[in-house]
Amino acid sequence: MTEDQIPAFVEELLAAGCPVYAIGREAYVIAEFEVPETLRGAISEQVNEICERYGKRDHLLLHIAHHLRTIGFGIELTCEVIH
């Protein structure tokens, strides 16, 4: 995946019915768990196909999170996580 493909990637996930959110400024989650159970299998297949088609994206983690926040799909953390 390249940086310019991020908007299309996110749009396809959302169009498939799968929410995707930035978590803080450094992470994001593809939230298949929020999909009704009766649709979960079909949506999960679509999400896997989308992810495979776009390929590796770990190197774009911060860019994807930023894009999600700019389109209103961000969840701000209220405390710092310590590992």
Side-chain angles (χ1 to χ4, degrees), residues 1-46:
M1 175 187 248
T2 60
E3 188 174 343
D4 63 321
Q5 292 176 308
I6 292 171
F9 171 70
V10 169
E11 186 176 310
E12 284 191 45
L13 290 173
L14 294 172
C18 185
V20 57
Y21 301 101
I23 307 298
R25 301 201 174 277
E26 299 178 357
Y28 71 96
V29 62
I30 298 173
E32 292 176 80
F33 58 86
E34 285 194 9
V35 173
E37 192 166 336
T38 56
L39 302 174
R40 201 169 289 156
I43 290 175
S44 182
E45 283 182 36
Q46 282 183 304

Side-chain angles (χ1 to χ4, degrees), residues 25-70:
R25 301 201 174 277
E26 299 178 357
Y28 71 96
V29 62
I30 298 173
E32 292 176 80
F33 58 86
E34 285 194 9
V35 173
E37 192 166 336
T38 56
L39 302 174
R40 201 169 289 156
I43 290 175
S44 182
E45 283 182 36
Q46 282 183 304
V47 167
N48 286 333
E49 288 173 11
I50 292 165
C51 290
E52 285 181 27
R53 191 166 5 96
Y54 281 92
K56 294 182 181 183
R57 59 193 181 278
D58 290 346
H59 62 289
L60 297 169
L61 182 68
L62 297 176
H63 297 284
I64 295 170
H66 174 73
H67 176 73
L68 288 165
R69 286 192 320 276
T70 63

